[in-house]
Amino acid sequence: MNTLNPDHHRETRVLLVCGSGGVGKTTIAAAMGLKMSLAGYKTIVLTIDPAKRLADSLGIKSLSDEPEKITLPENNGGEMWAMMLDTKRTFDRIIEKYASSAETRNKIINNKLYQHMSQMLAGTQEYMAMERLYEIYKQNTFDVMIVDTPPVQNARDFLSAPQRMMNMINNSMLHLLLKPSLSLGKSGLKFLERGSQQILKAFDRITGFAFLQEMSEMIVAFKDLLGGFETRASEVNSLLKLDTTHFVIVCTTNANSIMETQDFFKQISDQGFNLKKIIINRVYEGNVLSPEKIKSCRDELVGQFSPAEADLLIDNYRLFVPMIKKDKRQITSITNSVGNDYVSTIPLFLSDVHDIKTLKMVADVMGWLDS
Amino acid sequence: MLSEILDHRLVFVSGKGGVGKTTTAMLLALFAAKKKKRTLIVEMNSSGLIAPLFNTSSNGQEEISLAPYISGINLSPNKCFEEYVLKRLHFKALYQAFFNNKFVSNFLDAIPGLNDILMLGKIYDLERQYKNKLMAQRTYDLVIVDAPATGHGLSTLEVPRVLRSAVKIGPLNSHATDILNMLADKKKTIFCLVTLAEEMPVNESREYINALKERTNLNFGPLFVNAVMPEIKSLSRSIPSTESGINTIKNYHNLAVERAKLNQIYIKKINEFFPDFKKIVLPFQFNEIRDYRGLIPLLHLLTEGSS
């Protein structure tokens, strides 16, 4: 594979697209996928449930959790694939793979907590996204993988998902619950040491013993998966740090989004991940015209339109001036703090972006992705 | 239509990320305050957007006064957990010994839905909180929740139901039951969704509403359609591209025309998809909203339309 960006002296194999909710991550991930495919690469875009968003942006009806080939408007030897990530099914798949026996597998699959809530385990979505990414990465069938990450309130939630998964496994009271005595029911408690007994008693008052039992049953069943999980979590973690794994942060010019982006940027650089670009989306572009300039424009327009129409045009432009000014200010503020090379903007388009044709407009303004 | 919302004691405002949930929650609070209702705006573990809009900063999980009749709180799951535990264990020392322990907190991190149920539990308490118990006077007339974004994983609002079916007995079960009763109380609670008149938010609202209607029995209020571009006259002829100034003016005319058209198309779809919902259309705001004062023009517009 060619080097995508010679400036960085390394190739991109994985692009993780991050950002808070509603900034256009999915659309941008899809547009990057389209661009790379049109440049001749075999590309896959992965998204998290709900798949509807990516399907929407690609102009197709739905997506499954198996890669699906997207028809490209032109053929340059590249391919574009897309798939959604179904957290529950990924979880099921892992259990299938790592359970030592059919009995263990059934125990987990039939556990009430697992059935209802496996996709709600804190950080699961983030973790499962990476788990599946890793799986596909290992298969080595795609040149480039682009991941539309779940929106997180805090960058930490995403970046630390494998670490938290490992903490939960290695360094939590899980081990206490894993003692087989607990599966004997409440009477089993007396076999535990005094300290742990206290903890469990406290838990009983908080969540109820039934819950605790259900939880521990699930965990006991998970027990023989833990070794597998742990190795995976650390492998997934190292995938994130490879030289060929790059992050893209998407934001808008809203004060809140800018604030979160700066925080995200800091965490990415602090933890030694590779940042590729910060993309500021839906920018009100253009110049802020001086009053003199506006006047001369009006004079020129009056030559072609009625004075009423000329005024309509001018007044409409004036309405947007505060947005243009705000966006210029926000772009400058982010550029000042992260440096020019890392910032790229995408204008607010006239139309909605939700099919290959409109996606191509977005792809076309991402010149930085060209080699 | 706004008054109809204010007939309830608890309002949840939700929608896809970036559609203007916080703006809508703020508008409702400003409207309620105008009617002299003591209002609390609740953020659920957000980065604390509301207090700065009133030019104050929030102070952890504490109710703070933001303006006459308006208070705010930003819930933190950890703080909610501490309160919940203390209510049941009665010993602060016990709480600290066990729950400030990494060993325990790594585990708590993994309990599914715990954060959601704890924050909803806190909302339950806040709604019932008394200013003066003897006089049976509640602290707040109205609690407005700026709820988490829709669209990813299980909705916060579904957690109590799922939790109750997964855990049949015990304190967590009865806690979930209390919350479910609160959510299902149509006299007390109302859910308002915010959307943009654009493809993705409309589709997502549709999926969300259909899923919730299928699985829950929630009381839906009006649908807020935010940031709708006002319609602008198209020109008798097109503008020739000349130099940059004229081009900029031309581009913004095109933008206004096309965006307005787009919004109208999706408003039609919204009417089709949600025939039984009342809709409240909020026009696009051309000015940057730096604090609550930026919302006053919108508030006037809504008040005129509803009084």
Side-chain angles (χ1 to χ4, degrees):
Chain A
M1 205 186 90
N2 303 322
T3 299
L4 294 177
N5 190 337
D7 296 336
H8 289 221
H9 298 293
R10 59 185 171 223
E11 48 182 75
T12 300
R13 291 217 52 205
V14 177
L15 265 175
L16 290 140
V17 186
C18 320
S20 45
V23 294
K25 271 190 305 292
T26 306
T27 305
I28 284 173
M32 292 199 299
L34 179 64
K35 191 169 180 76
M36 305 293 287
S37 320
L38 292 177
Y41 297 101
K42 187 172 177 187
T43 310
I44 186 164
V45 184
L46 285 125
T47 193
I48 314 296
D49 205 31
K52 193 84 182 83
R53 268 187 218 165
L54 181 61
D56 267 0
S57 68
L58 294 169
I60 56 174
K61 276 263 179 294
S62 64
L63 272 175
S64 74
D65 72 334
E66 287 301 327
E68 183 173 335
K69 198 170 174 181
I70 308 296
T71 314
L72 292 176
E74 48 197 276
N75 186 356
N76 296 328
E79 284 174 23
M80 183 175 185
W81 295 73
M83 67 170 276
M84 75 149 178
L85 184 121
D86 184 328
T87 314
K88 177 83 165 67
R89 287 199 54 182
T90 307
F91 224 132
D92 290 350
R93 217 193 294 260
I94 291 172
I95 287 162
E96 289 286 339
K97 200 162 171 176
Y98 290 101
S100 58
S101 67
E103 195 200 344
T104 314
R105 190 193 62 215
N106 292 340
K107 220 174 182 176
I108 299 177
I109 306 277
N110 294 329
N111 179 282
K112 262 185 291 170
L113 262 184
Y114 176 76
Q115 280 169 357
H116 287 290
M117 303 177 119
S118 58
Q119 67 270 56
M120 281 167 53
L121 278 169
T124 324
Q125 270 205 335
E126 293 89 338
Y127 177 74
M128 288 299 148
M130 287 191 263
E131 179 73 45
R132 190 81 169 105
L133 169 73
Y134 183 72
E135 199 176 18
I136 293 170
Y137 180 83
K138 281 299 228 192
Q139 289 167 3
N140 211 11
T141 42
F142 295 96
D143 299 325
V144 185
M145 276 152 280
I146 297 167
V147 188
D148 170 28
T149 69
V152 285
Q153 217 121 49
N154 192 311
R156 229 162 280 135
D157 293 350
F158 185 76
L159 298 177
S160 66
Q163 189 57 48
R164 275 185 302 155
M165 213 63 168
M166 285 191 273
N167 279 349
M168 204 268 275
I169 290 162
N170 289 331
N171 204 0
S172 83
M173 57 175 287
L174 237 174
H175 292 277
L176 183 65
L177 295 171
L178 279 177
K179 301 213 173 185
S181 49
L182 197 69
S183 52
L184 298 175
K186 205 161 186 170
S187 62
L189 278 180
K190 58 175 171 288
F191 299 117
L192 296 174
E193 320 102 58
R194 222 178 94 71
S196 14
Q197 219 183 89
Q198 291 272 17
I199 293 182
L200 290 177
K201 268 190 190 156
F203 258 106
D204 184 26
R205 277 206 237 160
I206 294 156
T207 64
F209 204 78
F211 177 81
L212 207 56
Q213 212 165 8
E214 202 74 49
M215 185 83 191
S216 65
E217 209 175 80
M218 173 164 93
I219 289 163
V220 168
F222 267 135
K223 187 183 172 186
D224 77 355
L225 303 180
L226 296 188
F229 254 143
E230 200 192 330
T231 328
R232 297 278 284 192
S234 77
E235 280 171 354
V236 168
N237 203 26
S238 52
L239 169 66
L240 292 185
K241 297 215 165 163
L242 288 181
D243 269 359
T244 50
T245 301
H246 295 164
F247 283 78
V248 167
I249 309 173
V250 184
C251 65
T252 65
T253 56
N254 288 339
N256 182 43
S257 185
I258 297 282
M259 211 172 68
E260 282 170 355
T261 299
Q262 274 162 345
D263 183 46
F264 220 138
F265 173 77
K266 193 176 172 314
Q267 289 182 42
I268 284 180
S269 31
D270 284 357
Q271 295 186 39
F273 296 110
N274 308 306
L275 179 74
K276 182 100 175 173
K277 249 338 159 200
I278 293 175
I279 298 180
I280 309 177
N281 196 15
R282 296 193 204 114
V283 171
Y284 289 86
E285 288 187 331
N287 300 318
V288 177
L289 306 176
S290 66
E292 299 76 44
K293 181 75 190 165
I294 290 182
K295 198 176 170 302
S296 78
C297 283
R298 187 185 178 278
D299 293 343
E300 200 184 323
L301 287 166
V302 167
Q304 304 160 46
F305 296 95
S306 68
E309 277 189 327
D311 285 336
L312 176 89
L313 282 164
I314 298 288
D315 290 347
N316 177 68
Y317 164 73
R318 281 207 175 108
L319 274 178
F320 282 98
V321 169
M323 309 306 282
I324 303 173
K325 279 188 178 161
K326 168 191 154 194
D327 285 8
K328 285 197 189 309
R329 192 185 74 230
Q330 300 287 43
I331 292 167
T332 308
S333 102
I334 207 137
T335 310
N336 285 345
S337 66
V338 307
N340 228 336
D341 290 349
Y342 282 118
V343 182
S344 170
T345 62
I346 293 181
L348 175 68
F349 289 105
L350 298 187
S351 63
D352 230 0
V353 179
H354 58 80
D355 54 24
I356 291 282
K357 207 177 111 213
T358 43
L359 214 49
K360 181 83 170 42
M361 297 187 317
V362 183
D364 285 344
V365 297
M366 295 195 292
W368 56 272
L369 253 185
D370 295 327
S371 40
Chain B
M1 274 187 273
L2 283 188
S3 315
E4 172 195 324
I5 300 172
L6 266 47
D7 289 342
H8 298 79
R9 290 191 39 81
L10 180 58
V11 186
F12 284 85
V13 181
S14 190
K16 185 181 185 297
V19 296
K21 285 184 295 292
T22 304
T23 304
T24 308
M26 286 275 291
L27 269 177
L28 288 172
L30 291 170
F31 185 74
K34 237 177 137 176
K35 307 248 166 190
K36 299 202 173 4
K37 280 181 182 278
R38 288 158 304 163
T39 305
L40 176 71
I41 316 181
V42 181
E43 289 173 276
M44 292 176 76
N45 195 24
S46 84
S47 34
L49 304 177
I50 305 261
L53 289 170
F54 289 95
N55 303 311
T56 42
S57 53
S58 69
N59 182 22
Q61 178 171 313
E62 258 165 51
E63 295 156 67
I64 47 169
S65 171
L66 296 172
Y69 293 100
I70 302 180
S71 304
I73 186 169
N74 185 6
L75 303 183
S76 116
N78 288 345
K79 204 77 181 123
C80 290
F81 183 69
E82 184 177 339
E83 281 184 25
Y84 176 82
V85 169
L86 285 177
K87 242 195 275 177
R88 278 156 187 85
L89 291 183
H90 309 293
F91 294 110
K92 188 133 186 149
L94 198 60
Y95 172 82
Q96 279 165 348
F98 294 130
F99 298 100
N100 288 344
N101 177 328
K102 257 255 145 313
F103 194 56
V104 176
S105 65
N106 280 339
F107 174 74
L108 289 174
D109 252 2
I111 295 187
L114 189 67
N115 285 351
D116 293 295
I117 200 83
L118 291 171
M119 288 193 285
L120 288 171
K122 176 69 182 176
I123 292 168
Y124 177 88
D125 292 340
L126 286 167
E127 188 271 321
R128 294 161 64 94
Q129 185 171 298
Y130 282 107
K131 186 179 182 190
N132 182 333
K133 207 158 189 171
L134 283 176
M135 309 277 286
Q137 189 186 20
R138 302 274 191 198
T139 317
Y140 302 108
D141 299 316
L142 184 69
V143 175
I144 298 172
V145 183
D146 184 2
T150 61
H152 283 269
L154 198 66
S155 141
T156 302
L157 298 176
E158 290 191 75
V159 170
R161 184 185 55 81
V162 173
L163 194 66
R164 198 172 62 161
S165 54
V167 191
K168 293 288 184 214
I169 47 165
L172 214 52
N173 176 286
S174 47
H175 194 57
T177 305
D178 286 343
I179 294 169
L180 271 176
N181 290 339
M182 167 184 85
L183 295 178
D185 184 341
K186 299 198 171 196
K187 271 196 156 152
K188 183 183 279 181
T189 311
I190 189 165
F191 299 86
C192 293
L193 215 63
V194 187
T195 185
L196 299 176
E198 291 175 19
E199 173 89 4
M200 288 205 209
V202 168
N203 281 345
E204 195 162 309
S205 304
R206 192 185 186 194
E207 285 192 342
Y208 183 73
I209 288 180
N210 287 343
L212 281 183
K213 275 191 168 168
E214 203 177 283
R215 298 196 285 254
T216 63
N217 183 26
L218 302 176
N219 177 26
F220 285 104
L223 180 66
F224 286 86
V225 186
N226 192 23
V228 172
M229 192 67 76
E231 286 182 83
I232 176 171
K233 267 193 219 145
S234 41
L235 299 171
S236 49
R237 45 174 297 208
S238 64
I239 315 168
S241 296
T242 46
E243 47 80 58
S244 76
I246 298 278
N247 275 344
T248 305
I249 292 169
K250 173 184 159 182
N251 289 344
Y252 275 98
H253 182 258
N254 288 339
L255 186 77
V257 170
E258 293 303 319
R259 284 269 142 190
K261 258 192 223 161
L262 178 89
N263 287 160
Q264 289 311 314
I265 291 171
Y266 284 99
I267 286 181
K268 254 195 200 147
K269 282 202 178 176
I270 288 170
N271 286 326
E272 243 170 70
F273 291 162
F274 314 104
D276 46 347
F277 277 71
K278 287 178 187 154
K279 289 101 194 162
I280 297 179
V281 173
L282 305 175
F284 181 83
Q285 295 301 293
F286 289 94
N287 286 305
E288 188 181 357
I289 295 167
R290 287 167 185 263
D291 62 22
Y292 75 98
R293 279 168 300 198
L295 290 171
I296 288 175
L298 259 182
L299 184 68
H300 283 317
L301 207 79
L302 284 176
T303 323
E304 281 162 26
S306 78
S307 55

